Amino acid sequence: MGFFSFTQEIAIDLGTANTVIICNDQVVVDEPSVVAISVADNKMVAVGRKAQQMIGKGDTIVRTVRPLKDGVIADFYACEMMIKGMIKMIPHHRQLFNPSIRMVVCVPSGSTEVEIRAVRDSSDHAGGRDVYMIYEPMAAAIGIGIDVESPEGCMIVDIGGGTTEIAVISLGGIVANKSIRTAGDALNQDIIEYMGRMHNLRIDEPTAERIKINVGSALTELDESEAPEEYVVVGPSRVTALPLHIPVSYQEISHCMEKSIAKIETAVLQALEITPPELYADIVKNGIFLTGGGALLRGLAKRLTDKITIQVHVADDPLHAVARGTGVALKNVNNFGFLIR
Ligand code: ADP
Ligand code: MG
């Protein structure tokens, strides 16, 4: 991009939990998908990490919104503000010249036309002049280096905040897919509910997230090298409102998330059921790839491998796989026939 060029090219992974922007193959923005809006005048006061820190800290003054729910836009106004705010965070973004922006944005594979339209409108309003879209599992596969246009089939399981998307890809298309609304957020809800029911402890989403990261596990028995120490959760008692200090182990957190993890397992099996046999054989040979933040859950790949008896691999840097693939698509807008205009 020369000095006098007025076109900026960006790839956006607009996730329910995190938004990642890639420019010239570099991750330039990686922020939680949250905006904070002033209740008094409905203006955006913060976006990303700064907005996330305001969650639950004063809803009558500043309202925090996650504009995406279950992978699709739930609040248009907030989403537009969020995209604009994140674009402004790109280092050296030329605000003065109001450059025209070429964008590739990803959308969940199960998106309806209306949902795709919503992403396009938000991107247009945020300054995109030349907007393309790509299905998320396709982007994830490209991001982990798979040749999506080859006849060889591959299976991607992308576990994000709102949805788990499972897709079989071959010849530049999604041949089979299954999407469920059970993913990272559902696990956090399981933890909130469990801490209340079992320990009388009242906690919010950010604490549940910390518990999951520190002692979350898909297995009740982990190898010693992987097993985390107990984690002490502090919060108010639901009964007395006095502070409680509750140590939790990975075993109990694993139990409380069991039902949700079993749903993810079942969804993978259902996707395999609808996979054409020739592609199934490729998947058995190459394994299944886990992407998205949920791929980082301790013991998950092992649990799925044991259950499905096909090797399940965690992609390198799973939180950025979709964004990286979207970045590759940005450079190939004229070659990749599967992009949506
Ligand atoms: P999205 O694409 O929906 O924005 P991401 O792929 O960014 O989602 O993943 C975010 C999800 O991954 C969140 O629900 C978060 O809690 C979860 N996550 C991130 N790190 C871990 C981890 N180490 N263990 C378990 N879950 C994790
Ligand atoms: Mg995602």
Side-chain angles (χ1 to χ4, degrees):
M1 195 162 60
F3 185 73
F4 292 109
S5 159
F6 292 97
T7 305
Q8 184 160 30
E9 300 194 333
I10 60 177
I12 307 184
D13 169 9
L14 194 58
T16 305
N18 296 297
T19 296
V20 182
I21 301 185
I22 301 247
C23 237
N24 299 321
D25 295 326
Q26 301 293 323
V27 174
V28 289
V29 176
D30 181 358
E31 298 276 335
S33 303
V34 184
V35 280
I37 296 169
S38 150
V39 171
D41 59 6
N42 228 13
K43 293 228 168 76
M44 179 170 88
V45 291
V47 63
R49 213 151 268 117
K50 274 194 190 145
Q52 189 185 41
Q53 285 163 358
M54 299 177 184
I55 293 180
K57 297 282 173 76
D59 289 348
T60 51
I61 303 155
V62 171
R63 190 164 60 92
T64 48
V65 182
R66 284 177 61 183
L68 286 98
K69 194 168 185 311
D70 302 329
V72 299
I73 300 178
D75 184 330
F76 293 93
Y77 176 65
C79 187
E80 230 171 272
M81 282 197 292
M82 182 176 83
I83 301 177
K84 276 185 194 155
M86 300 251 187
I87 289 176
K88 279 198 190 134
M89 286 181 175
I90 300 174
H92 319 300
H93 174 62
R94 296 191 185 80
Q95 293 171 42
L96 277 180
F97 299 120
N98 197 11
S100 73
I101 307 178
R102 168 178 285 172
M103 284 187 196
V104 180
V105 190
C106 56
V107 291
S109 57
S111 300
T112 63
E113 266 179 45
V114 174
E115 286 161 353
I116 291 179
R117 182 64 190 262
V119 173
R120 174 183 302 287
D121 287 351
S122 283
S123 311
D124 282 350
H125 291 164
R129 296 283 175 275
D130 193 14
V131 180
Y132 298 80
M133 270 155 302
I134 179 169
Y135 286 121
E136 270 161 18
M138 198 68 132
I142 296 170
I144 60 181
I146 291 170
D147 175 6
V148 292
E149 289 179 313
S150 96
E152 179 128 343
C154 73
M155 178 176 266
I156 301 288
V157 179
D158 181 78
I159 308 172
T163 54
T164 294
E165 296 223 22
I166 303 146
V168 177
I169 294 167
S170 166
L171 296 171
I174 294 172
V175 181
N177 85 295
K178 169 96 196 153
S179 171
I180 57 165
R181 293 177 178 199
T182 303
D185 291 343
L187 300 180
N188 290 352
Q189 285 309 315
D190 291 343
I191 294 173
I192 292 174
E193 199 259 329
Y194 171 83
M195 293 307 286
R197 179 168 41 83
M198 199 60 201
H199 296 294
N200 271 323
L201 187 72
R202 197 153 57 78
I203 60 166
D204 251 339
E205 173 100 40
T207 302
E209 172 86 16
R210 282 193 291 273
I211 296 174
K212 182 174 69 180
I213 306 272
N214 281 284
V215 284
S217 169
L219 290 170
T220 46
E221 265 179 67
L222 292 170
D223 291 343
E224 221 167 279
S225 59
E226 266 193 303
E229 306 260 302
E230 282 192 335
Y231 178 72
V232 179
V233 190
V234 183
S237 158
R238 287 207 302 189
V239 183
T240 62
L242 297 175
L244 294 176
H245 293 71
I246 310 280
V248 288
S249 65
Y250 80 83
Q251 287 94 343
E252 66 176 307
I253 296 306
S254 151
H255 278 297
C256 87
M257 302 190 305
E258 171 57 34
K259 274 195 189 139
S260 300
I261 295 169
K263 281 187 194 160
I264 295 175
E265 215 168 63
T266 306
V268 177
L269 287 168
Q270 286 170 342
L272 284 165
E273 254 169 42
I274 54 169
T275 301
E278 290 299 319
L279 297 177
Y280 189 105
D282 294 339
I283 294 167
V284 171
K285 187 173 73 171
N286 300 326
I288 295 172
F289 295 90
L290 291 185
T291 62
L296 293 168
L297 185 66
R298 287 175 194 82
L300 183 62
K302 180 166 190 305
R303 173 173 168 155
L304 290 171
T305 303
D306 291 349
K307 173 88 183 184
I308 301 169
T309 67
I310 298 175
Q311 188 68 45
V312 176
H313 312 277
V314 178
D316 288 340
D317 192 11
L319 278 160
H320 291 150
V322 168
R324 277 199 313 272
T326 311
V328 174
L330 180 64
K331 290 187 173 162
N332 288 282
V333 288
N334 299 319
N335 312 333
F336 285 172
F338 47 81
L339 298 182
I340 313 160
R341 277 234 60 165

